[in-house]
Amino acid sequence: MLAKPATAWIILLASAILEAVWATALGLSDGLTRPLPTVVFIVTAALSMQGLGMAVKHIPLGTAYAVWVGIGAALTVGWAMATGVEPFSLLKVLFIAGIVACAAGLKMLPAGRDRRGAGSAPWTGSAP
C-alpha cells in the first residue's frame, strides 16, 4: 500500500516514463523479432502497468489514465524527434506541450471523494 497520495503521483509519473520506454522498445523490436528490444518492451510494459495499478489506489482512474497516456505519448514523440526518428516540427512541439499542460492541469484539480466505498466497480454489483 502507498504511504501517501503524493507518492501515487510520483509512481504515476515513473509509470508514464516507462510507457515511453516500452513504446520506443516496441518500435525498435521489429514486430517483436529482435530479442533485446522485445525484452525491454515486456519488462517495462509490465512495470508501467504495475505502477499505473498502484497509482489508481489514490488517484481516480480516469485522471490517472489520462496523465499516464498523455505524459507517455509526449515523451515518446519527444524522444522520436530528438533521435531523428520523426521530423521536428514547432507545431508538433506546441501540441505536445498542450498534452503536458492538460496532464499538469489534472494534477492541480482538487481531489474528489475517496473511491473506496463509492461503488466504483460496477461489475461487483455494489451501488454508488
Side-chain angles (χ1 to χ4, degrees), residues 18 27 29 70 92 97 123:
L18 288 172
S29 75
K92 195 179 288 189
W123 55 87

Side-chain angles (χ1 to χ4, degrees), residues 47-68:
L47 290 172
S48 181
M49 295 291 173
Q50 177 68 30
L52 178 61
M54 292 169 63
V56 299
K57 291 180 179 182
H58 292 283
I59 302 168
L61 175 61
T63 299
Y65 184 70
V67 169
W68 182 74

Side-chain angles (χ1 to χ4, degrees), residues 12-119:
L12 183 62
L13 179 59
S15 295
I17 292 167
L18 288 172
E19 184 195 2
V21 173
W22 70 249
T24 301
L26 180 61
L28 296 172
S29 75
D30 194 25
L32 303 177
T33 61
R34 295 181 57 216
L36 182 59
T38 298
V39 169
V40 171
F41 162 71
I42 292 167
V43 170
T44 56
L47 290 172
S48 181
M49 295 291 173
Q50 177 68 30
L52 178 61
M54 292 169 63
V56 299
K57 291 180 179 182
H58 292 283
I59 302 168
L61 175 61
T63 299
Y65 184 70
V67 169
W68 182 74
V69 168
I71 298 298
L75 289 173
T76 303
V77 174
W79 180 257
M81 285 191 304
T83 58
V85 174
E86 288 191 29
F88 177 84
S89 161
L90 285 177
L91 277 177
K92 195 179 288 189
V93 170
L94 177 68
F95 292 134
I96 291 169
I99 291 171
V100 172
C102 289
L106 287 172
K107 163 67 172 104
M108 289 188 258
L109 290 174
R113 68 180 186 179
D114 188 351
R115 71 188 263 288
R116 289 179 298 254

